[in-house]
Every structure is written in structure tokens, then in C-alpha cells.
Amino acid sequence: MTELFKNIYKCFKDGKHKVLSLSYDDGRTADRRLVEIFNRFDLKGTFHLNSSWFGMNDRIDASEVKELYKGHEVSVHTCTHPTTARSPISQVVQQVIEDRKNLESLVGYTVRGMSYPNGSFSDEIKSMLPHVGIEYARITGNSDEFSMPRDWYEWKSTCHHNHNLIENAKRFLELKKVQHIYMFYVWGHSYEFDNDNNWELMEEFAKLVSGNDDIWYATNMEIVDYLKAMDQLKYSASGDFVYNPTATDLWISVDGEILKVPAGKQTFTTTQNEVENV
């Protein structure tokens, strides 16, 4: 007997198949203007900060961190921005742990992400990071791709904002195949807009990509948390129902129909009826 199999696909939040995230380093005062643009266009950013440098050399002050980055993500960039691949691993451990402690004391939530200072990392550092509470780390460079990272500890962006930003944005907006999921990931430093006198670039980009119904606008950590939760879904052998053991509402596509799989619930993929898991 021939079985008819369902086509079940992972979706992002609210059933979307595209996600956009922005990632900026160093905590310079130009972040104030960048955050204002993000907020105005309902974009989400992750800001990787050096906590030992607050208030120094055109850096934001510790007292403004919580309010400035409200609604976005604060993430580790080490305390003093060393080239970590050249540093003793014991020093890298301290740089990461102390940066986490300092940032968490300011924002009041667990800080679990990182970008490597100077883009510097090694296999030893990657292996160490899970043991100090870091769940992803961004590298430098441009992929010009919209795929998911193969390694959360070697997360490469689609592009720096000075590299094919508008061209990549237009390509991203044209992606319509819902059988795939896509991520557009931009990185940079806010002070570069001052140095290059090109703030209009980010304004143009934000206006272009904002307000699209098929895009989820998320921080780096929100993406990691969501996809890790998605991997914990428990499907029946037949695919007729699925149990979500996590605390996160998730979405799937079943033969083209978008279904919400609520946190802690078992959901039938055939009728959309939800029942309590017993």
C-alpha cells in the first residue's frame, strides 16, 4: 500500500519564511542614531558591547545601555576587544565571562550571544564558548547568501552594510518560494556611517525592507532560540500530530497550510484542533 506523506516545513514566527536581523559592534555613540532608525522602521538589532570601555573614546555610557537598546539585544564583544585567537584561552574565558556579568547587570536578562572582536577566533575558542554560556558567535565577512548558518559559533553574515546592501535587499525581497526559509543578516559598526558620511544608506535600506508581511524582524538570539525550539518538536510517526515541549509558540507549514503549534500543546496537523498533552 502506498502511503501519502505530508509536506511539513519549519516556518519562522507567525508562519513567515524569511527573517531579517542586524548586528552592530563596539557600542559607539553613533548607536544612538542607528537605534533611532531601527525603532522608526520596526527593525531589530543585536549590539555587541565592550563593557570595560563604556564612557571612553566616543563610547556610550553604561547608564544608557538598558534604555537605549530596549527592544533589541545586547550581546558580548569581550570586555576590552582583544584579538582573541592570539590570547591565552584563560584570558578569553575571563573576557567573555566578565563581559557577560557586566552587561547582565545593566540589562537584567541573560546575555548569551557574542561577536568575535576583530573577527578573531579559533577552534579552541569555539569549543570553549558553550561552557561559558554563549550560544552563538558572529564572525566577519560577507556570504551574499540568505541561508541558515551551519555552525552557530561561526555565524557569517549576508553582508556588511557597505557591501552590496541595497542589491542584496532587493534580491531578498524577491524571494517567494515558501518551501525554503531565508535569512538576511547585516553587520557593521555604527561609527562607519559617520566616517563614510553615508547615513542615507541605512535610511534607504530600512525604508526598503521594513513592513513586509513575509519577513520576521528578529534579534540574533531570537533566531537562535526559535530554531533550537523548532528542533525539539515531537512529531508522530504518521505526521498527524505534533507536540511542542518548549515554552515557545512555533509555526509549521503542512501541505501549504500554516499551523501554529502552541507552547506545551499537542496539535493535530489534519484538523488544526489542539489538545492538552497528557
Side-chain angles (χ1 to χ4, degrees):
M1 184 175 67
T2 302
E3 289 284 347
L4 293 178
F5 293 96
K6 297 180 176 68
N7 287 323
I8 301 176
Y9 295 132
K10 300 175 182 179
C11 298
F12 289 124
K13 187 177 179 181
D14 298 323
K16 302 176 191 296
H17 71 290
K18 296 193 283 189
V19 65
L20 171 67
S21 196
L22 301 109
S23 180
Y24 279 79
D25 293 350
D26 294 356
R28 297 294 187 95
T29 55
D31 278 4
R32 298 167 187 159
R33 183 170 179 179
L34 187 61
V35 170
E36 186 278 325
I37 295 173
F38 289 178
N39 290 345
R40 181 158 29 103
F41 289 96
D42 293 323
L43 304 182
K44 289 289 192 76
T46 293
F47 293 87
H48 312 276
L49 309 179
N50 309 111
S51 58
S52 290
W53 286 355
F54 287 142
M56 301 168 56
N57 302 321
D58 194 40
R59 308 274 174 158
I60 62 166
D61 192 77
S63 62
E64 62 183 308
V65 168
K66 184 173 184 177
E67 188 59 32
L68 175 62
Y69 299 114
K70 184 177 180 180
H72 302 281
E73 177 193 357
V74 164
S75 176
V76 165
H77 200 38
T78 71
C79 286
T80 60
H81 208 283
T83 303
T84 49
R86 295 186 60 194
S87 302
I89 194 67
S90 61
Q91 293 296 306
V92 181
V93 169
Q94 291 184 54
Q95 285 273 352
V96 173
I97 285 287
E98 291 306 312
D99 205 32
R100 279 194 67 206
K101 288 179 180 178
N102 294 338
L103 296 175
E104 288 172 354
S105 71
L106 297 174
V107 298
Y109 55 79
T110 53
V111 172
R112 297 176 286 134
M114 177 176 172
S115 71
Y116 297 107
N118 299 316
S120 174
F121 67 99
S122 65
D123 288 342
E124 185 180 26
I125 292 171
K126 286 173 54 178
S127 297
M128 173 271 293
L129 290 179
H131 301 288
V132 294
I134 298 298
E135 298 185 34
Y136 75 82
R138 197 207 75 226
I139 65 176
T140 55
N142 310 291
S143 70
D144 288 307
E145 297 178 355
F146 305 115
S147 56
M148 300 302 109
R150 296 182 180 90
D151 183 347
W152 289 119
Y153 294 98
E154 201 169 328
W155 192 350
K156 193 172 188 177
S157 72
T158 304
C159 64
H160 184 281
H161 65 246
N162 280 335
H163 175 84
N164 298 335
L165 180 65
I166 302 303
E167 295 88 342
N168 280 327
K170 290 178 179 178
R171 287 199 300 123
F172 183 66
L173 293 175
E174 291 171 358
L175 296 171
K176 302 300 181 184
K177 292 184 177 180
V178 296
Q179 63 266 44
H180 302 292
I181 57 173
Y182 306 97
M183 177 172 61
F184 188 10
Y185 187 13
V186 179
W187 79 283
H189 307 84
S190 60
Y191 66 82
E192 293 170 319
F193 293 109
D194 285 333
N195 292 348
D196 299 333
N197 192 29
N198 66 343
W199 280 102
E200 73 282 353
L201 177 65
M202 181 50 70
E203 293 272 357
E204 179 185 358
F205 171 78
K207 185 176 182 179
L208 179 64
V209 299
S210 65
N212 284 270
D213 292 339
D214 61 353
I215 300 176
W216 176 33
Y217 303 93
T219 67
N220 293 183
M221 197 70 246
E222 286 175 333
I223 295 170
V224 174
D225 280 344
Y226 186 90
L227 290 178
K228 284 185 175 181
M230 181 65 72
D231 288 339
Q232 295 184 60
L233 286 178
K234 312 300 181 184
Y235 292 92
S236 66
S238 65
D240 289 338
F241 54 90
V242 56
Y243 172 54
N244 179 0
T246 77
T248 302
D249 290 342
L250 301 169
W251 282 261
I252 59 174
S253 170
V254 181
D255 291 334
E257 182 179 3
I258 301 299
L259 295 180
K260 181 179 180 180
V261 186
K265 296 289 186 71
Q266 183 167 285
T267 300
F268 287 97
T269 61
T270 51
T271 65
Q272 299 188 54
N273 291 327
E274 299 168 8
V275 297
E276 294 285 342
N277 184 66
V278 295

